[in-house]
């Protein structure tokens, strides 16, 4: 009985020991190994997310820098563009490339309607290129800001000359009557034109041969834009010391 | 029997001892697993991940906003079109006599007295011959320049000129010279009229001209658009 009970206790202790040994051997394998693997997976995900975060921050930094540069550049460019544009408009106005209006005068010159007298020179009854030049020169000298003859605006390089009895302005054939329009102080322009000391030859030819010479001033005269080109094939800006 | 009782007690003691060790080890292992793996990694790592995901989402939003702002910066004027405008501007400044210019051309030198009308005609003649820029006695002539004669003196844009009158024109030297010197041309006419004067036309490889002294003022003229 005693021996039997002791054997039973011994058996139970062995069973429990076996059970616990098995559990101890199993537990790291069953619990630790799978947990370790998922922890590595999670750590990988965190590293990836952190890498993404770093690159996003870098991108933001780069974009902000680029935006600042672009904004500065855009501002500078649009500012200088505005400047260039306004300067261009000024130069275009000065060059006669814009149609203009304002107070001024109109000088009308026309060939004589009188019959050529016996032994007379037919040329005496016609308006000549130099007379147009004379009137235009007087208008400029009197402060005209813009001048045109018929539909031809006078600009840099404009010449007025004749081929036979035809007058050409800007290489364009004009026919009488010649209407010279000028914008400027209308009173001054008219006074200078009417002054007996001005255009004396033309005025005497008007009396002698009936060349028509009329001056009218008006509150608004309109002039077309210069429509030919400016050829600059031989000129270049002279730099310092040039 | 006594021998057997003694030995089974020893075995029982040893078994219980081993059992104690195994139990302690088992408990320790369980505790270790509990602190290392389950508690910290699952909860904390999940928190770290969710905050990273959230932060990255808002960073991505900022990237998109900045990219949009960059794209919608409005049209920035191109450097090329600006260069063309500057070129046009310089050309007009040369035409208007507001830039010093240089180039080949001719010189007409008149020693003697001529009239304002002669000079006026001469300037007209060089423009007509294709001059791109003109100067008289180193004074730039532009479209609005006026030559006025008063009391036996010639004034160009208000400045008195004296003999010798030197007219410079930039352009094709040969073409300019031929046009001016042609038989029956203005130079021939002036030589005939002023037989005492010396009039010479010379080609020059390089002429430089100063800027126009006058001003372009528009007090009455208004550009029409």
């Amino acid at each position: 009985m005693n021996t039997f009970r002791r054997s039973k206790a011994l058996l139970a202790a062995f069973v429990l020991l076996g059970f616990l040994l098995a559990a101890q051997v199993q537990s790291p394998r069953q619990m630790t190994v799978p947990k370790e693997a998922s922890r590595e997976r999670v750590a990988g995900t965190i590293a990836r997310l952190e890498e993404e975060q770093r690159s996003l921050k870098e991108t933001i930094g780069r974009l902000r820098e680029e935006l600042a540069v672009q904004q500065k550049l855009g501002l500078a460019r649009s500012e200088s563009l505005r400047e260039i544009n306004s300067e261009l408009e000024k130069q275009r106005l000065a060059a006669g490339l814009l149609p203009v209006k304002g107070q001024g005068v109109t000088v009308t010159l026309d060939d004589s309607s009188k019959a050529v007298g016996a032994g007379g020179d037919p040329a005496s009854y016609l308006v000549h290129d130099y007379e147009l030049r004379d009137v235009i020169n007087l208008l400029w000298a009197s402060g005209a800001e813009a001048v045109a003859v018929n539909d031809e605006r006078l600009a840099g390089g404009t010449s007025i000359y004749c081929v036979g009895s035809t007058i050409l302005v800007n290489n364009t054939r004009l026919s009488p009557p010649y209407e010279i329009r000028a914008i400027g102080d209308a009173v001054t322009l008219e006074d200078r034109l009417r002054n007996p000391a001005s255009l004396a030859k033309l005025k005497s030819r008007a009396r002698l041969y009936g060349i028509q010479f009329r001056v009218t001033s008006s509150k608004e005269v309109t002039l077309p834009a210069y429509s030919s080109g400016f050829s600059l094939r031989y000129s270049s800006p002279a730099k310092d010391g040039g | 029997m006594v021998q057997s009782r003694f030995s089974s007690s020893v075995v029982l003691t040893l078994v219980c001892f081993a059992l104690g060790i195994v139990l302690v080890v088992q408990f320790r292992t369980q505790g270790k697993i509990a602190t290392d793996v389950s508690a910290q990694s699952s909860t904390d790592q999940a928190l770290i991940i969710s905050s990273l995901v959230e932060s990255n989402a808002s960073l991505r939003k900022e990237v998109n906003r900045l990219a949009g702002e960059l794209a919608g910066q409005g049209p920035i004027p191109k450097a090329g079109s600006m260069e063309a405008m500057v070129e046009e501007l310089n050309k007009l400044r040369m035409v208007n006599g507001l830039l010093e210019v240089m180039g080949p051309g001719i010189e007409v030198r008149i020693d003697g007295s001529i009239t304002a009308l002669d000079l006026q005609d001469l300037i007209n003649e060089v423009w007509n011959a294709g001059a791109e820029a003109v100067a008289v006695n180193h004074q730039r002539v532009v479209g609005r320049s006026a030559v006025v004669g008063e009391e036996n003196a010639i004034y160009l844009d208000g400045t008195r000129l004296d003999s010798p009158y030197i007219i410079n024109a930039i352009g094709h030297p040969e073409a300019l010279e031929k046009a001016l010197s042609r038989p029956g041309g203005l130079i021939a006419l002036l030589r005939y009229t002023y037989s005492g004067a010396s009039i010479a036309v010379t080609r020059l490889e390089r002429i430089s001209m100063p800027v126009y002294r006058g001003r372009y003022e528009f007090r009455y003229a208004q550009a029409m658009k």
Side-chain angles (χ1 to χ4, degrees), chain B residues 129-144:
Chain B
E132 295 177 359
V134 177
V136 179
N137 289 10
H138 300 292
Q139 196 184 321
R140 191 77 166 266
V141 177
V142 296
R144 57 165 53 194

Side-chain angles (χ1 to χ4, degrees), chain A residues 9 21 36-37 42 46 58 63 79 83 98 107 110 113 129 139 145 148 152 165 167 186 195 202 205 223 234:
Chain A
L21 269 172
E36 202 81 53
V42 170
I46 289 175
E58 252 175 45
L63 285 173
E79 256 169 33
E83 259 171 54
L98 302 175
V107 180
D110 203 351
S113 52
D129 56 344
L139 287 166
E145 294 175 351
E152 287 303 317
S165 60
I167 295 178
N195 189 324
L202 174 63
R205 284 194 350 104
L223 273 59
Y234 299 93

Side-chain angles (χ1 to χ4, degrees), chain A residues 2-3 6 9-10 13-14 16-17 20-21 23-24 27-28 31-32 35-36 39 42-43 45-46 49-50 52-53 56-57 59-60 63-64 66-67 70-71 73-74 77-78 80-81 84-85 87-89 91-95 97-103 130 133-134 137 140-141 144-146 155-161 171 183-185 201 222-223 230-239 241-242, chain B residues 1 4-5 8-9 11-12 15-16 18-19 22-23 25-26 29-30 33 36-38 41-42 45 48-49 52-53 55-56 59-60 62-63 65-67 69-70 73 76-79 81-82 85-86 88-96 98-104 117 120-121 124 127-128 131-133 142-148 170-173 206 208 216-225:
Chain A
N2 208 349
T3 310
R6 201 169 281 159
L10 201 59
F14 267 114
L16 188 61
L17 181 64
L20 281 174
L21 269 172
Q24 171 66 15
S27 67
M31 300 181 77
T32 316
K35 281 282 176 188
E36 202 81 53
R39 191 162 60 162
V42 170
T45 305
I46 289 175
L49 284 168
E50 279 175 343
E52 192 186 11
Q53 187 185 43
L56 281 168
K57 279 181 177 171
T59 307
I60 288 171
L63 285 173
R64 287 206 176 120
E66 210 176 307
L67 194 64
Q70 290 288 308
Q71 281 169 337
L73 195 70
R77 283 216 183 131
S78 55
S80 55
L81 192 73
I84 292 172
N85 246 328
E87 185 58 25
L88 250 176
E89 281 305 285
Q91 296 299 326
R92 284 193 182 120
L93 180 63
L97 292 172
L98 302 175
V100 284
K101 63 175 183 186
Q103 61 164 282
Y130 54 82
R133 286 203 291 275
D134 230 9
N137 188 72
W140 288 129
E145 294 175 351
T158 293
S159 67
I160 301 156
Y161 68 107
N171 294 314
I183 293 176
D185 182 344
K201 253 192 196 163
T222 61
L223 273 59
F230 295 111
S231 150
L232 292 180
R233 288 170 54 206
Y234 299 93
S235 315
S236 53
K239 299 287 182 295
Chain B
M1 198 68 216
S4 135
R5 268 179 69 184
S8 76
S9 289
V11 171
L12 193 61
V15 168
C16 285
L19 188 64
V22 170
L23 268 171
V25 170
Q26 177 67 13
T29 307
Q30 288 290 347
I33 289 167
D36 261 20
V37 186
S38 0
S41 41
S42 323
Q45 285 187 329
I48 290 168
I49 287 174
L52 273 172
V53 166
S55 140
N56 284 0
L59 286 173
R60 221 171 284 119
E62 178 67 359
V63 166
R65 193 188 65 77
L66 286 169
E69 205 175 324
L70 249 180
Q73 247 289 87
I76 293 173
K78 292 210 171 63
S81 70
M82 213 136 68
M85 286 172 78
V86 170
E88 174 74 3
L89 188 58
N90 281 339
K91 184 181 174 178
L92 291 179
R93 278 184 178 142
M94 282 199 274
V95 167
N96 292 330
L98 301 174
L99 272 187
E100 282 181 40
V101 284
M102 58 177 202
L117 286 178
Q120 193 181 294
D121 287 351
N124 183 69
W127 284 132
N128 192 40
E132 295 177 359
V142 296
R144 57 165 53 194
S145 286
V147 180
V148 175
I170 292 177
H172 189 282
R206 194 176 130 131
S208 61
Y216 287 93
E217 263 187 298
F218 292 93
R219 290 171 54 204
Y220 302 95
Q222 213 186 329
M224 295 191 289
K225 287 286 149 73

Side-chain angles (χ1 to χ4, degrees), chain A:
Chain A
M1 180 71 202
N2 208 349
T3 310
F4 173 71
R5 216 189 277 158
R6 201 169 281 159
S7 304
K8 254 169 102 182
L10 201 59
L11 178 69
F14 267 114
V15 168
L16 188 61
L17 181 64
F19 192 75
L20 281 174
L21 269 172
Q24 171 66 15
V25 170
Q26 288 273 10
S27 67
R29 218 180 272 160
Q30 259 184 359
M31 300 181 77
T32 316
V33 173
K35 281 282 176 188
E36 202 81 53
S38 87
R39 191 162 60 162
E40 268 167 33
R41 265 205 312 277
V42 170
T45 305
I46 289 175
R48 245 195 350 270
L49 284 168
E50 279 175 343
E51 180 52 42
E52 192 186 11
Q53 187 185 43
R54 221 181 348 268
S55 107
L56 281 168
K57 279 181 177 171
E58 252 175 45
T59 307
I60 288 171
R62 194 170 44 72
L63 285 173
R64 287 206 176 120
E65 243 171 70
E66 210 176 307
L67 194 64
V69 168
Q70 290 288 308
Q71 281 169 337
K72 234 188 247 175
L73 195 70
L75 202 67
R77 283 216 183 131
S78 55
E79 256 169 33
S80 55
L81 192 73
R82 248 199 314 278
E83 259 171 54
I84 292 172
N85 246 328
S86 92
E87 185 58 25
L88 250 176
E89 281 305 285
K90 267 192 220 163
Q91 296 299 326
R92 284 193 182 120
L93 180 63
L97 292 172
L98 302 175
V100 284
K101 63 175 183 186
Q103 61 164 282
V105 293
T106 302
V107 180
T108 310
L109 287 175
D110 203 351
D111 295 338
S112 171
S113 52
K114 283 184 181 173
V116 179
D121 182 358
S124 304
Y125 296 81
L126 301 174
V127 174
H128 294 288
D129 56 344
Y130 54 82
E131 284 163 335
L132 288 184
R133 286 203 291 275
D134 230 9
V135 172
I136 290 160
N137 188 72
L138 178 67
L139 287 166
W140 288 129
S142 308
E145 294 175 351
V147 181
V149 186
N150 293 2
D151 286 327
E152 287 303 317
R153 179 79 170 270
L154 300 189
T158 293
S159 67
I160 301 156
Y161 68 107
C162 64
V163 174
S165 60
T166 304
I167 295 178
L168 292 101
V169 175
N170 293 335
N171 294 314
T172 305
R173 208 152 48 84
L174 302 186
S175 42
Y178 306 102
E179 209 178 69
I180 303 164
R181 300 190 303 286
I183 293 176
D185 182 344
V187 175
T188 305
L189 292 176
E190 194 183 354
D191 283 355
R192 291 289 291 273
L193 287 162
R194 291 196 191 282
N195 189 324
S198 308
L199 310 170
K201 253 192 196 163
L202 174 63
K203 285 169 185 169
S204 86
R205 284 194 350 104
R207 279 192 304 275
L208 287 170
Y209 305 104
I211 299 286
Q212 292 177 49
F213 171 72
R214 272 200 316 277
V215 178
T216 53
S217 69
S218 51
K219 277 184 188 155
E220 188 171 298
V221 180
T222 61
L223 273 59
Y226 174 69
S227 52
S228 305
F230 295 111
S231 150
L232 292 180
R233 288 170 54 206
Y234 299 93
S235 315
S236 53
K239 299 287 182 295
D240 292 335

Side-chain angles (χ1 to χ4, degrees), chain B residues 193-205:
Chain B
T193 313
Y194 304 100
S195 54
S198 132
I199 303 174
V201 181
T202 331
R203 295 182 202 174
L204 294 176
E205 268 177 36

